[in-house]
């Protein structure tokens, strides 16, 4: 079992029903910290009933700041950031840990929709045109067909970033990275975290041997304008201001992200295929 070497962090906001549906099964052999963003429902009570240690925030500070509030308090050697609508299977934590012990960096399980269909939670470089293609805008959807990635059982794939619904790493590495970027209230913080990890020689990997259900209902999937769309647009402006190379084509991005550009989409070598560090150089 994973034991308490793991800390799992969940940000809640009006999430009581979701927590009770997705986190009720079985014992939790990990430290579970729920950071509540000033919910007005009984999210705090639900989390406590389910065994979480709750950090109650006096206001809604957003996803990144809430995650960082917990990162400062975790006690595990490894940390998983997990959305309320994710079903975490504890046996998968050992698989994630073994990967991290071998390769380091950030790792995510392959997420599955409620009907068992894989969700493409691994992504390539976040070009503006790829983002539009992801919304089924033709011909950009065809041009960036490889932007959305899944990993089959037995596969591990390098990706540029993984969806923030489930992302794990060694606690020391996350602390060294500085945690989540608090310039983002919601949306795009996972894009930035992945690119920052690559820039700090921490690869980002989607692992097909861990497959967890994610009951995902993205608020911006609807064409009707909402506060969620406004938040996403604000975060997009921040992100592309930080990474203007992704407003244009591949060459400038490749020059700035050479290491990632060589690896994204390729399989992660198994430990037996990894070079012996004593013979390198």
């Amino acid at each position: 079992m994973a034991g308490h070497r793991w800390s799992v962090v969940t940000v809640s906001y009006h999430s009581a029903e979701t927590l009770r549906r997705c986190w009720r099964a079985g014992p939790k052999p990990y430290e579970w910290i729920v950071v509540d963003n000033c919910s007005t429902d009984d999210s705090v009570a639900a989390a406590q009933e389910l065994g979480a240690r709750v950090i109650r925030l006096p206001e809604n500070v957003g996803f990144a700041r809430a995650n960082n509030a917990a990162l400062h308090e975790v006690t595990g050697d490894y940390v998983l950031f997990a959305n309320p609508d994710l079903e975490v299977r504890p046996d998968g934590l050992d698989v994630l840990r073994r990967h991290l012990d071998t390769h380091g960096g950030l790792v995510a399980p392959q997420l599955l929709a409620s009907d068992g269909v894989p969700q493409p939670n691994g992504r390539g470089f976040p070009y503006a045109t790829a983002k539009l293609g992801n919304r089924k805008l033709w011909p950009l959807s065809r041009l960036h067909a490889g932007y959305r990635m899944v990993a089959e059982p037995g596969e591990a794939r390098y990706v540029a970033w993984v969806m923030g619904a489930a992302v794990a790493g060694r606690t020391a590495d996350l602390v060294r990275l500085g945690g989540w970027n608090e310039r983002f209230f919601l949306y795009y913080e996972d894009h930035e975290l992945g690119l920052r990890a690559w820039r700090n020689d921490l690869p980002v990997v989607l692992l097909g041997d861990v497959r967890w259900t994610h009951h995902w209902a993205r608020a911006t999937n609807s064409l009707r304008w909402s506060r969620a769309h406004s938040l996403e647009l604000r975060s997009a402006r921040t992100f592309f201001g930080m990474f203007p190379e992704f407003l244009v084509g591949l060459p400038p991005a490749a020059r700035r992200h050479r290491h990632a550009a060589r690896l994204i989409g390729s399989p992660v070598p198994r430990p037996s295929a990894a070079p012996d560090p004593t013979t390198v150089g």
Side-chain angles (χ1 to χ4, degrees):
M1 295 299 292
H4 287 281
R5 303 181 67 181
W6 278 93
S7 296
V8 177
V9 173
T10 300
V11 176
S12 64
Y13 183 64
H14 301 158
S15 307
E17 180 181 347
T18 303
L19 289 169
R20 290 189 173 107
R21 182 175 74 250
C22 297
W23 294 82
R24 64 188 178 189
K28 298 176 178 61
Y30 48 79
E31 174 187 51
W32 186 30
I33 300 176
V34 171
V35 186
D36 186 70
N37 259 330
C38 200
S39 298
T40 56
D41 68 356
D42 63 338
S43 292
V44 169
Q48 291 172 334
E49 291 165 7
L50 294 164
R53 174 161 68 94
V54 179
I55 299 174
R56 303 181 68 167
L57 300 180
E59 59 181 329
N60 183 0
V61 301
F63 184 71
R65 283 183 63 187
N67 274 330
N68 286 344
L71 182 60
H72 296 314
E73 297 194 19
V74 300
T75 62
D77 297 322
Y78 308 86
V79 60
L80 166 71
F81 297 96
N83 271 15
D85 55 1
L86 181 69
E87 294 185 21
V88 173
R89 297 183 60 177
D91 56 347
L93 294 175
D94 277 332
V95 182
L96 296 178
R97 175 181 57 79
R98 288 194 294 270
H99 172 89
L100 290 169
D101 286 345
T102 301
H103 299 283
L106 303 180
V107 65
Q110 174 60 59
L111 300 184
L112 307 175
S114 303
D115 58 4
V117 175
Q119 295 175 349
N121 58 306
R123 301 295 171 93
F125 279 143
Y127 299 108
T129 49
K131 301 294 291 182
L132 293 172
N134 192 44
R135 299 301 174 88
K136 313 299 184 185
L137 183 64
W138 192 90
L140 297 178
S141 55
R142 182 175 180 180
L143 177 64
H144 293 285
Y147 173 65
R148 297 156 58 92
M149 287 183 256
V150 300
E152 298 298 327
E155 289 184 339
R157 299 213 163 268
Y158 292 109
V159 296
W161 60 279
V162 291
M163 285 168 42
V167 55
R170 293 183 291 205
T171 303
D173 287 340
L174 268 300
V175 170
R176 179 166 64 87
L177 274 177
W180 298 77
N181 191 321
E182 296 183 7
R183 291 180 63 184
F184 298 92
F185 183 86
L186 187 64
Y187 303 117
Y188 283 85
E189 64 284 301
D190 43 12
H191 305 43
E192 191 276 337
L193 180 65
L195 294 176
R196 180 156 36 101
W198 278 108
R199 284 187 168 179
N200 284 272
D201 298 319
L202 296 172
V204 185
V205 169
L206 182 65
L207 196 61
D209 281 341
V210 182
R211 307 175 79 77
W212 289 341
T213 300
H214 177 217
H215 303 280
W216 188 33
R218 186 178 172 90
T220 54
N221 280 346
S222 169
L223 295 178
R224 185 175 181 179
W225 192 262
S226 65
R227 181 171 183 265
H229 289 88
S230 298
L231 290 172
E232 185 171 21
L233 180 60
R234 186 173 74 183
S235 291
R237 289 171 177 165
T238 300
F239 177 82
F240 290 113
M242 296 172 65
F243 297 94
E245 63 266 30
F246 292 116
L247 284 170
V248 291
L250 179 61
R255 285 196 295 269
R256 292 198 183 196
H257 305 270
R258 288 188 183 91
H259 182 51
R262 288 196 302 268
L263 293 176
I264 288 170
S266 64
V268 178
R270 295 184 180 276
S272 59
D276 182 348
T278 64
T279 64
V280 176

